[in-house]
């Protein structure tokens, strides 16, 4: 290798190392998401989910479902409508890499205790895993907003949300309002 070639290799290695040392910037489309979800995916609005720490696969599939009409929301459906598959992947990857922050929710200790019992009874961790951290297309629900959890469980129970291959629809069918409230207290407090 010539001297010039070695310099080029060294310069390329320095550029690559420098790029790795820089914090990744959010994708351009994330600015739109930030209005509701926060630029780091930590929503402060109780009915808007925390995206930080979700799996990239789950986030991508939810965007795709909003775009394809398998999931509907008056705000998210039009937001997802114009996204390309690459933009959805970039957004999903960005929010998956962010760290979830506490929402500030203070669970009712008795409701949280009963919620844990219900979660154990219904084997929630079989899909959501221990610590409710989620996996693949199964969402992280630990530390999610209480009101969002209540709405999603209620929507599954009432058949308003069906983009889950039937798993959550089946589980939520046997939950009453108190169960949902207790589960939300438990999960939001994790």
């Amino acid at each position: 290798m010539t001297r010039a070639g070695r310099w080029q290799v060294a310069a390329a290695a320095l550029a690559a190392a420098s790029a790795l040392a820089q914090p990744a910037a959010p994708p351009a489309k994330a600015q739109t998401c930030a209005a509701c979800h926060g630029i780091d995916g930590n929503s402060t609005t109780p009915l808007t989910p925390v995206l930080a720490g979700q799996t990239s696969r789950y986030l991508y599939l939810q965007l795709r479902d909003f775009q394809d009409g398998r999931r509907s929301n008056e705000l998210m459906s039009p937001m997802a409508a114009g996204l390309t598959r690459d933009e959805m992947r970039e957004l999903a990857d960005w929010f998956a890499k962010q760290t979830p922050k506490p929402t500030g929710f203070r669970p009712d200790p008795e409701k949280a205790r009963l919620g844990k019992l219900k979660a154990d009874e219904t084997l929630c961790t079989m899909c959501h895993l221990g610590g409710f951290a989620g996996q693949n297309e199964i969402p992280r629900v630990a530390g999610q907003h209480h009101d969002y959890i209540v709405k999603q469980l209620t929507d599954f129970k009432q058949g308003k949300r069906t983009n889950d291959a039937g798993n959550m629809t089946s589980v939520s069918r046997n939950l009453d309002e108190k169960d949902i409230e207790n589960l939300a207290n438990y999960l939001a407090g994790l």
Side-chain angles (χ1 to χ4, degrees):
M1 181 180 290
T2 65
R3 176 179 253 177
R6 285 191 292 253
W7 277 106
Q8 288 174 337
V9 169
L14 282 173
S18 178
L20 290 174
Q22 299 293 321
K29 295 284 183 176
Q31 296 301 324
T32 305
C33 307
C36 297
H37 295 283
I39 195 63
D40 62 354
N42 283 288
S43 158
T44 57
T45 307
L47 282 174
T48 303
V50 173
L51 305 180
Q54 291 288 358
T55 68
S56 179
R57 179 159 175 76
Y58 172 76
L59 293 172
Y60 172 77
L61 291 174
Q62 296 310 300
L63 287 169
R64 194 186 68 187
D65 285 355
F66 280 121
Q67 188 174 66
D68 293 346
R70 285 187 291 274
R71 185 173 178 189
S72 180
N73 177 275
E74 62 188 27
L75 295 174
M76 281 306 301
S77 297
M79 292 291 179
L83 295 174
T84 67
R85 300 288 187 206
D86 285 343
E87 289 170 336
M88 288 191 279
R89 285 189 189 97
E90 287 174 1
L91 290 169
D93 288 347
W94 167 255
F95 287 116
K97 289 177 184 172
Q98 305 309 305
T99 302
K101 298 175 182 169
T103 63
F105 176 76
R106 294 179 182 230
D108 177 297
E110 180 60 13
K111 289 179 180 178
R113 184 186 72 79
L114 294 171
K116 182 182 183 327
L117 291 174
K118 181 55 75 175
D120 291 346
E121 176 190 320
T122 54
L123 305 174
C124 297
T125 55
M126 284 186 64
C127 296
H128 291 279
L129 298 183
F132 295 87
Q135 60 171 326
N136 298 316
E137 65 273 0
I138 308 297
R140 171 188 178 87
V141 289
Q144 189 55 267
H145 286 293
H146 166 275
D147 293 3
Y148 180 75
I149 294 170
V150 168
K151 179 165 181 8
Q152 297 313 302
L153 288 174
T154 303
D155 284 355
F156 279 122
K157 181 177 178 67
Q158 295 174 348
K160 293 179 180 175
R161 182 174 173 189
T162 59
N163 69 327
D164 67 323
N167 295 333
M168 284 306 300
T169 304
S170 176
V171 168
S172 63
R173 187 177 306 134
N174 298 318
L175 301 175
D176 62 25
E177 286 184 26
K178 285 185 179 177
D179 293 332
I180 291 173
E181 174 64 17
N182 293 337
L183 282 166
N185 266 271
Y186 172 57
L187 297 171
L190 293 176

